[in-house]
Amino acid sequence: MKITNIRLDRLQLRLDPPFAAAWDPRPRERFDATIVRVETDEGLVGIGSGDTMDGFPGHEHLFVGRDPLDMAQHVRTIETINFHAGRFWPLEVALWDLLGQVAGLPVAALLGNAQRRVPVYASCGELKAPAERAESALALREQGFRAMKIRIDRDRIDEGVAAVAATRDAVGDGFEIMVDLNQSWRMAGDVQPALDYATVRHTVERLRDLGVFWVEEPLPYQDVAGLTALRSATGVRIAGGEMLDSVGQILGYLDNDALDVYQMDVVLAVGITRARMLAELAHLKHRAFTPHTWTNGIGVLANLHVAAGVGGGPYFEYPYDPPGWTPERRDFMLAEPLRIDADGCLAVPPVPGLGVRLDEAAVRRWAA
Ligand SMILES: [Mg+2]
């Protein structure tokens, strides 16, 4: 089999003003998605998405004419392009989708089939007042979720801790709450300093008293010693690494035992092939791996196959914060949005490949 073409469809979902304001405090008028299709001479097409692929055009010749199943070669080639230009893992995701189709198996099966479905947490992006956040948690529990993640703004720590406290009061025990401090994740142009170690430690201790399951990105990526110290000082699980794209840096984290939960996103950070290896290494050290998924439905699917394949968990990120962020918005390019089952789990589609079914009318409608 030969790759005949790599097609990129650039989409922009235009957002209405209330949604744009709810999603992010900064004005945001569109949600960008790029769909990658790897076309072959045998008519099979692999699909990937999750990052914009900006800067990729001009590199197609490194793949066209080659066998799409030569995965090791393609991964190394993508790494050499990323070295100069960007994060082109959605192309590798499309190649894995093809590989699954050729094998007649879900990608998760090719990665080990540790689980058929994964319990999820509702990942909330919006900053809500305590009473409103508590009310949203009750609604989530009603819908079957067993866990949720609350974002705390580094400039509004007290308000964020109050939202977590109100949520805990509302849901009691038996419902897990994660907290994201986003100290590594930056919007372009955000050069405000991160919180210092003493402030972070105090905050994590306050969250520990509220029974928080993990605290995510409490410190910037470069503060490996701080992360290690924070783990032993507080006894709270520390998660992070969603955008860590250097395998060397991640190996350094593992050597220094910097995290309890590794979260490298396969579409944004490391790809499927490397994620599998890094997840296995984390598991060999008795540490957890559960990937970040804050992209679109195809990105969520790619990460789901990896989490299910390697045994990621204990909870998988399901971006969901209605009314602003819903499955319909997140998965607008899919024929059917990804939904949880009654037990709060997301199941791997039992079909060959990733199980992406595009809504071609939506792809045309939202073409950039
Ligand atoms: Mg995060």
Side-chain angles (χ1 to χ4, degrees):
M1 196 187 321
K2 295 262 185 293
I3 297 172
T4 53
N5 187 34
I6 297 174
R7 169 177 161 188
L8 302 185
D9 284 291
R10 295 180 184 283
L11 314 181
Q12 288 181 349
L13 181 66
R14 282 176 285 282
L15 306 176
D16 52 69
F19 170 66
W23 165 252
D24 192 289
R26 281 146 286 226
R28 189 181 167 109
E29 289 163 356
R30 52 176 225 230
F31 177 67
D32 294 325
T34 297
I35 297 181
V36 183
R37 296 186 222 221
V38 176
E39 299 169 351
T40 65
D41 58 353
E42 294 187 14
L44 290 177
V45 179
I47 297 174
S49 186
D51 199 35
T52 60
M53 299 291 287
D54 288 343
F56 180 78
H59 296 98
E60 293 87 344
H61 67 282
L62 298 172
F63 304 91
V64 170
R66 292 181 177 268
D67 187 328
L69 305 188
D70 292 351
M71 190 65 77
Q73 175 72 25
H74 297 315
V75 169
R76 291 170 196 165
T77 303
I78 291 169
E79 284 174 330
T80 64
I81 309 171
N82 288 356
F83 180 75
H84 297 279
R87 303 178 301 209
F88 302 128
W89 295 116
L91 169 59
E92 189 232 18
V93 167
L95 290 163
W96 272 96
D97 182 35
L98 258 177
L99 180 54
Q101 291 179 45
V102 171
L105 293 167
V107 170
L110 300 175
L111 297 173
N113 246 359
Q115 307 167 91
R116 299 296 198 276
R117 54 193 201 120
V118 190
V120 304
Y121 63 89
S123 188
C124 303
E126 201 177 325
L127 299 170
K128 284 187 173 159
E132 206 185 339
R133 184 44 80 203
E135 205 174 303
S136 81
L138 291 172
L140 289 171
R141 195 173 61 177
E142 193 68 24
Q143 291 159 47
F145 289 95
R146 293 184 248 160
M148 73 185 294
K149 187 165 81 188
I150 297 173
R151 181 162 74 90
I152 292 186
D153 189 308
R154 63 175 175 268
D155 298 325
R156 295 155 69 182
I157 293 286
D158 285 342
E159 199 181 317
V161 173
V164 175
T167 302
R168 177 58 76 207
D169 264 355
V171 297
D173 297 331
F175 184 90
E176 301 293 1
I177 302 171
M178 293 80 159
V179 168
D180 197 344
L181 288 174
N182 291 111
Q183 294 267 49
S184 306
W185 205 99
R186 294 278 166 157
M187 298 295 288
D190 176 4
V191 295
Q192 290 292 316
L195 299 172
D196 68 8
Y197 178 83
T199 306
V200 167
R201 176 172 166 173
H202 179 59
T203 304
V204 174
E205 285 166 347
R206 292 170 74 190
L207 294 168
R208 177 184 60 201
D209 296 340
L210 296 169
V212 160
F213 189 78
W214 79 48
V215 177
E216 185 169 321
E217 288 199 351
L219 291 164
Y221 283 152
Q222 64 269 30
D223 192 1
V224 180
L227 290 165
T228 306
L230 195 59
R231 291 185 57 234
S232 56
T234 65
V236 175
R237 292 182 195 88
I238 301 298
E242 62 192 56
M243 297 289 273
L244 275 182
D245 58 0
S246 155
V247 169
Q249 202 177 357
I250 298 161
L251 292 175
Y253 269 55
L254 286 162
D255 276 348
N256 287 286
D257 206 8
L259 297 172
D260 295 273
V261 183
Y262 288 80
Q263 299 179 291
M264 288 76 71
D265 189 319
V266 310
V267 295
L268 297 178
V270 292
I272 291 178
T273 309
R274 300 292 184 237
R276 172 175 57 180
M277 171 193 71
L278 293 164
E280 298 290 0
L281 287 175
H283 288 158
L284 288 170
K285 289 190 160 242
H286 196 49
R287 299 291 172 255
F289 169 78
T290 188
H292 165 268
T293 66
W294 195 266
T295 56
N296 59 51
I298 299 173
V300 174
L301 260 180
N303 280 293
L304 172 65
H305 278 270
V306 174
V310 303
Y315 293 96
F316 179 75
E317 180 174 35
Y318 183 82
Y320 183 65
D321 199 6
W325 199 232
T326 60
E328 290 77 11
R329 294 260 190 191
R330 187 193 62 207
D331 306 345
F332 69 95
M333 73 293 291
L334 297 182
E336 202 48 59
L338 304 172
R339 297 189 195 281
I340 63 164
D341 61 23
D343 300 329
C345 293
L346 200 55
V348 172
V351 297
L354 293 173
V356 176
R357 282 199 302 125
L358 287 176
D359 177 348
E360 295 291 358
V363 171
R364 282 192 298 275
R365 180 177 176 206
W366 300 111

